[in-house]
Amino acid sequence: MQSYTIGQAARLLGVSPDTARRWADAGKVATHRDESGRRLIDGRDLAAFSVEVAQSGSGEEDASYTSARNAFPGIVTAVKLGDVAAQVEIQAGPHRLVSLLTREAVEELGLEVGMQATARVKSTSVHIDRA
């Protein structure tokens, strides 16, 4: 079974290594040490914990009602306006998302570089690559 360091787990959970370390110290996720003394989290434990964190309801008060389950909160890093269409880039943790939408939609939302936004993805097919 694959194990993850605290830093790797933090990246996968979208939090800082300090936060992941505090969770481990508090016993929220089990760790063990490898032969060189590094703290590791078993893949199955990390998977279960990531689901628990996602379902914990952080930000539920502000949650919008939508059928799109894949939400990537981040920061707008680029807005390219055309005559009719626009391209918006969002950096959400390690993920760069690019959306093509109408110029009118960008203007109505008031999207600008540096502001917070959430990219929502809804698709009929999802491709998974093994790391």
Side-chain angles (χ1 to χ4, degrees), residues 6-64:
I6 295 289
Q8 290 170 325
R11 277 190 299 281
L12 292 169
L13 293 168
V15 299
S16 72
D18 286 337
T19 297
R21 197 172 295 109
R22 280 193 296 275
W23 285 340
D25 291 344
K28 293 183 178 185
V29 62
T31 63
H32 65 278
R33 299 215 180 249
D34 66 6
E35 52 282 344
S36 60
R38 293 182 309 163
R39 288 181 11 176
L40 300 175
I41 302 170
D42 285 334
R44 289 186 191 277
D45 291 339
L46 182 59
F49 182 67
S50 68
V51 170
E52 182 182 320
V53 168
Q55 294 175 346
S56 69
S58 59
E60 285 298 316
E61 314 79 51
D62 299 331
S64 59

